mmCIF file of all heavy atoms in Angstrom:
data_model
loop_
_atom_site.group_PDB
_atom_site.id
_atom_site.type_symbol
_atom_site.label_atom_id
_atom_site.label_comp_id
_atom_site.label_asym_id
_atom_site.label_seq_id
_atom_site.Cartn_x
_atom_site.Cartn_y
_atom_site.Cartn_z
ATOM 1 N N ILE A 1133 97.233 103.595 86.102
ATOM 2 C CA ILE A 1133 98.273 104.559 86.004
ATOM 3 C C ILE A 1133 97.921 105.572 84.968
ATOM 4 O O ILE A 1133 98.043 106.767 85.107
ATOM 5 C CB ILE A 1133 99.632 103.933 85.743
ATOM 6 C CG1 ILE A 1133 100.045 103.107 86.942
ATOM 7 C CG2 ILE A 1133 100.654 104.964 85.350
ATOM 8 C CD1 ILE A 1133 101.284 102.198 86.720
ATOM 9 N N ILE A 1134 97.550 105.106 83.745
ATOM 10 C CA ILE A 1134 97.199 106.017 82.657
ATOM 11 C C ILE A 1134 95.944 106.887 83.078
ATOM 12 O O ILE A 1134 95.927 108.078 82.789
ATOM 13 C CB ILE A 1134 96.835 105.239 81.383
ATOM 14 C CG1 ILE A 1134 98.090 104.422 80.891
ATOM 15 C CG2 ILE A 1134 96.326 106.151 80.266
ATOM 16 C CD1 ILE A 1134 97.822 103.541 79.703
ATOM 17 N N ALA A 1135 95.015 106.229 83.718
ATOM 18 C CA ALA A 1135 93.833 107.040 84.239
ATOM 19 C C ALA A 1135 94.327 108.062 85.323
ATOM 20 O O ALA A 1135 93.788 109.276 85.196
ATOM 21 C CB ALA A 1135 92.801 106.123 84.834
ATOM 22 N N ILE A 1136 95.175 107.741 86.150
ATOM 23 C CA ILE A 1136 95.648 108.708 87.155
ATOM 24 C C ILE A 1136 96.392 109.866 86.502
ATOM 25 O O ILE A 1136 96.171 111.033 86.865
ATOM 26 C CB ILE A 1136 96.506 107.983 88.159
ATOM 27 C CG1 ILE A 1136 95.654 107.000 89.025
ATOM 28 C CG2 ILE A 1136 97.241 108.980 89.051
ATOM 29 C CD1 ILE A 1136 96.485 106.154 90.038
ATOM 30 N N VAL A 1137 97.259 109.527 85.541
ATOM 31 C CA VAL A 1137 98.054 110.574 84.851
ATOM 32 C C VAL A 1137 97.047 111.557 84.160
ATOM 33 O O VAL A 1137 97.203 112.769 84.277
ATOM 34 C CB VAL A 1137 98.955 109.936 83.812
ATOM 35 C CG1 VAL A 1137 99.510 110.984 82.871
ATOM 36 C CG2 VAL A 1137 100.132 109.291 84.476
ATOM 37 N N SER A 1138 96.077 111.055 83.474
ATOM 38 C CA SER A 1138 95.105 111.936 82.842
ATOM 39 C C SER A 1138 94.359 112.693 83.913
ATOM 40 O O SER A 1138 94.079 113.951 83.624
ATOM 41 C CB SER A 1138 94.050 110.983 82.027
ATOM 42 O OG SER A 1138 93.043 111.801 81.438
ATOM 43 N N SER A 1139 94.000 112.137 84.932
ATOM 44 C CA SER A 1139 93.236 112.818 85.957
ATOM 45 C C SER A 1139 94.000 113.948 86.675
ATOM 46 O O SER A 1139 93.446 115.036 86.865
ATOM 47 C CB SER A 1139 92.666 111.764 87.014
ATOM 48 O OG SER A 1139 91.984 112.419 88.069
ATOM 49 N N ILE A 1140 95.229 113.636 87.031
ATOM 50 C CA ILE A 1140 95.974 114.686 87.772
ATOM 51 C C ILE A 1140 96.258 115.879 86.833
ATOM 52 O O ILE A 1140 96.407 116.977 87.344
ATOM 53 C CB ILE A 1140 97.156 114.110 88.496
ATOM 54 C CG1 ILE A 1140 98.198 113.507 87.490
ATOM 55 C CG2 ILE A 1140 96.782 113.174 89.460
ATOM 56 C CD1 ILE A 1140 99.499 112.990 88.102
ATOM 57 N N ILE A 1141 96.460 115.632 85.605
ATOM 58 C CA ILE A 1141 96.748 116.737 84.637
ATOM 59 C C ILE A 1141 95.428 117.529 84.430
ATOM 60 O O ILE A 1141 95.473 118.807 84.443
ATOM 61 C CB ILE A 1141 97.278 116.210 83.297
ATOM 62 C CG1 ILE A 1141 98.740 115.650 83.508
ATOM 63 C CG2 ILE A 1141 97.381 117.282 82.272
ATOM 64 C CD1 ILE A 1141 99.230 114.917 82.287
ATOM 65 N N LYS A 1142 94.295 116.800 84.310
ATOM 66 C CA LYS A 1142 93.042 117.568 84.120
ATOM 67 C C LYS A 1142 92.704 118.406 85.330
ATOM 68 O O LYS A 1142 92.093 119.417 85.139
ATOM 69 C CB LYS A 1142 91.894 116.368 83.851
ATOM 70 C CG LYS A 1142 90.613 117.054 83.365
ATOM 71 C CD LYS A 1142 89.594 115.944 83.009
ATOM 72 C CE LYS A 1142 88.392 116.584 82.362
ATOM 73 N NZ LYS A 1142 87.454 115.582 81.826
ATOM 74 N N GLY A 1143 93.000 117.831 86.454
ATOM 75 C CA GLY A 1143 92.666 118.637 87.749
ATOM 76 C C GLY A 1143 93.682 119.619 88.160
ATOM 77 O O GLY A 1143 93.532 120.186 89.233
ATOM 78 N N SER A 1144 94.772 119.716 87.453
ATOM 79 C CA SER A 1144 95.921 120.528 87.875
ATOM 80 C C SER A 1144 95.577 121.961 88.192
ATOM 81 O O SER A 1144 96.003 122.546 89.155
ATOM 82 C CB SER A 1144 97.001 120.485 86.823
ATOM 83 O OG SER A 1144 98.113 121.307 87.127
ATOM 84 N N ASN A 1145 94.718 122.628 87.332
ATOM 85 C CA ASN A 1145 94.399 124.023 87.473
ATOM 86 C C ASN A 1145 93.512 124.244 88.714
ATOM 87 O O ASN A 1145 93.352 125.473 89.149
ATOM 88 C CB ASN A 1145 93.695 124.532 86.205
ATOM 89 C CG ASN A 1145 94.592 124.609 85.032
ATOM 90 O OD1 ASN A 1145 95.793 125.007 85.145
ATOM 91 N ND2 ASN A 1145 94.210 124.168 83.892
ATOM 92 N N TYR A 1146 92.987 123.231 89.289
ATOM 93 C CA TYR A 1146 92.123 123.386 90.484
ATOM 94 C C TYR A 1146 92.849 123.000 91.786
ATOM 95 O O TYR A 1146 92.318 123.073 92.782
ATOM 96 C CB TYR A 1146 90.868 122.542 90.330
ATOM 97 C CG TYR A 1146 90.022 122.801 89.083
ATOM 98 C CD1 TYR A 1146 90.182 121.941 87.897
ATOM 99 C CD2 TYR A 1146 89.223 123.871 88.979
ATOM 100 C CE1 TYR A 1146 89.486 122.223 86.816
ATOM 101 C CE2 TYR A 1146 88.478 124.164 87.811
ATOM 102 C CZ TYR A 1146 88.679 123.289 86.748
ATOM 103 O OH TYR A 1146 87.936 123.622 85.608
ATOM 104 N N ARG A 1147 94.129 122.645 91.594
ATOM 105 C CA ARG A 1147 94.931 122.155 92.743
ATOM 106 C C ARG A 1147 95.479 123.335 93.553
ATOM 107 O O ARG A 1147 96.098 124.251 93.020
ATOM 108 C CB ARG A 1147 96.028 121.285 92.297
ATOM 109 C CG ARG A 1147 96.667 120.370 93.394
ATOM 110 C CD ARG A 1147 97.505 119.307 92.804
ATOM 111 N NE ARG A 1147 96.838 118.395 91.962
ATOM 112 C CZ ARG A 1147 97.054 118.190 90.710
ATOM 113 N NH1 ARG A 1147 98.029 118.773 90.067
ATOM 114 N NH2 ARG A 1147 96.232 117.356 90.027
ATOM 115 N N THR A 1148 95.188 123.412 94.871
ATOM 116 C CA THR A 1148 95.691 124.421 95.719
ATOM 117 C C THR A 1148 97.081 124.061 96.157
ATOM 118 O O THR A 1148 97.499 122.852 96.170
ATOM 119 C CB THR A 1148 94.830 124.573 96.858
ATOM 120 O OG1 THR A 1148 94.701 123.416 97.659
ATOM 121 C CG2 THR A 1148 93.353 125.092 96.495
ATOM 122 N N PRO A 1149 97.899 125.023 96.600
ATOM 123 C CA PRO A 1149 99.217 124.749 97.143
ATOM 124 C C PRO A 1149 99.160 123.646 98.265
ATOM 125 O O PRO A 1149 98.303 123.722 99.092
ATOM 126 C CB PRO A 1149 99.701 126.102 97.653
ATOM 127 C CG PRO A 1149 98.928 127.085 96.783
ATOM 128 C CD PRO A 1149 97.654 126.531 96.618
ATOM 129 N N ASN A 1150 100.116 122.735 98.227
ATOM 130 C CA ASN A 1150 100.184 121.670 99.200
ATOM 131 C C ASN A 1150 99.165 120.601 99.105
ATOM 132 O O ASN A 1150 99.149 119.682 99.954
ATOM 133 C CB ASN A 1150 100.310 122.274 100.589
ATOM 134 C CG ASN A 1150 101.420 123.261 100.840
ATOM 135 O OD1 ASN A 1150 102.543 122.999 100.399
ATOM 136 N ND2 ASN A 1150 101.149 124.339 101.503
ATOM 137 N N MET A 1151 98.276 120.666 98.129
ATOM 138 C CA MET A 1151 97.275 119.637 97.888
ATOM 139 C C MET A 1151 98.021 118.439 97.278
ATOM 140 O O MET A 1151 98.708 118.585 96.253
ATOM 141 C CB MET A 1151 96.177 120.165 97.029
ATOM 142 C CG MET A 1151 95.052 119.044 96.818
ATOM 143 S SD MET A 1151 93.733 119.618 95.662
ATOM 144 C CE MET A 1151 92.953 120.866 96.692
ATOM 145 N N ALA A 1152 97.886 117.234 97.882
ATOM 146 C CA ALA A 1152 98.640 116.096 97.422
ATOM 147 C C ALA A 1152 97.992 115.477 96.109
ATOM 148 O O ALA A 1152 96.758 115.644 95.884
ATOM 149 C CB ALA A 1152 98.606 114.993 98.517
ATOM 150 N N MET A 1153 98.854 114.893 95.349
ATOM 151 C CA MET A 1153 98.457 114.089 94.168
ATOM 152 C C MET A 1153 98.498 112.607 94.455
ATOM 153 O O MET A 1153 99.347 112.168 95.301
ATOM 154 C CB MET A 1153 99.327 114.463 93.003
ATOM 155 C CG MET A 1153 99.229 115.892 92.530
ATOM 156 S SD MET A 1153 100.415 116.253 91.193
ATOM 157 C CE MET A 1153 102.025 116.291 92.019
ATOM 158 N N PRO A 1154 97.631 111.855 93.808
ATOM 159 C CA PRO A 1154 97.605 110.359 94.078
ATOM 160 C C PRO A 1154 98.741 109.595 93.358
ATOM 161 O O PRO A 1154 98.467 108.708 92.572
ATOM 162 C CB PRO A 1154 96.281 109.969 93.574
ATOM 163 C CG PRO A 1154 95.944 110.909 92.470
ATOM 164 C CD PRO A 1154 96.558 112.164 92.884
ATOM 165 N N ILE A 1155 99.911 109.960 93.736
ATOM 166 C CA ILE A 1155 101.124 109.325 93.173
ATOM 167 C C ILE A 1155 101.792 108.371 94.196
ATOM 168 O O ILE A 1155 102.146 108.906 95.246
ATOM 169 C CB ILE A 1155 102.088 110.388 92.539
ATOM 170 C CG1 ILE A 1155 101.481 111.023 91.315
ATOM 171 C CG2 ILE A 1155 103.473 109.596 92.129
ATOM 172 C CD1 ILE A 1155 102.417 112.052 90.706
ATOM 173 N N SER A 1156 101.873 107.156 93.929
ATOM 174 C CA SER A 1156 102.397 106.217 94.858
ATOM 175 C C SER A 1156 103.473 105.365 94.212
ATOM 176 O O SER A 1156 103.328 104.568 93.316
ATOM 177 C CB SER A 1156 101.300 105.202 95.274
ATOM 178 O OG SER A 1156 101.761 104.274 96.183
ATOM 179 N N PRO A 1157 104.735 105.567 94.695
ATOM 180 C CA PRO A 1157 105.913 104.892 94.135
ATOM 181 C C PRO A 1157 105.846 103.378 94.514
ATOM 182 O O PRO A 1157 105.096 102.951 95.349
ATOM 183 C CB PRO A 1157 107.106 105.587 94.698
ATOM 184 C CG PRO A 1157 106.565 106.130 96.026
ATOM 185 C CD PRO A 1157 105.106 106.492 95.777
ATOM 186 N N PHE A 1158 106.685 102.670 93.794
ATOM 187 C CA PHE A 1158 106.897 101.209 94.101
ATOM 188 C C PHE A 1158 107.393 101.060 95.566
ATOM 189 O O PHE A 1158 108.451 101.545 95.935
ATOM 190 C CB PHE A 1158 107.881 100.540 93.216
ATOM 191 C CG PHE A 1158 108.065 99.098 93.310
ATOM 192 C CD1 PHE A 1158 107.086 98.171 92.921
ATOM 193 C CD2 PHE A 1158 109.177 98.553 93.928
ATOM 194 C CE1 PHE A 1158 107.309 96.813 93.041
ATOM 195 C CE2 PHE A 1158 109.371 97.256 94.090
ATOM 196 C CZ PHE A 1158 108.429 96.325 93.628
ATOM 197 N N LYS A 1159 106.569 100.363 96.413
ATOM 198 C CA LYS A 1159 106.835 100.316 97.872
ATOM 199 C C LYS A 1159 107.627 99.170 98.348
ATOM 200 O O LYS A 1159 108.063 99.156 99.513
ATOM 201 C CB LYS A 1159 105.440 100.306 98.552
ATOM 202 C CG LYS A 1159 104.683 101.602 98.374
ATOM 203 C CD LYS A 1159 103.315 101.605 99.169
ATOM 204 C CE LYS A 1159 102.601 102.930 98.952
ATOM 205 N NZ LYS A 1159 101.242 102.877 99.726
#
């Protein structure tokens, strides 16, 4: 989770509109 948080923030500026993030809630 910590790795994903760091990664999605780091890649935020390269994210195009409607591009999904690897966030998966408790299923």
Side-chain angles (χ1 to χ4, degrees):
I1133 291 167
I1134 297 173
I1136 290 172
V1137 167
S1138 177
S1139 176
I1140 61 177
I1141 293 172
K1142 190 172 187 175
S1144 177
N1145 291 319
Y1146 305 99
R1147 195 168 297 122
T1148 58
N1150 301 318
M1151 182 183 289
M1153 295 178 285
I1155 292 181
S1156 180
F1158 183 75
K1159 295 181 178 180

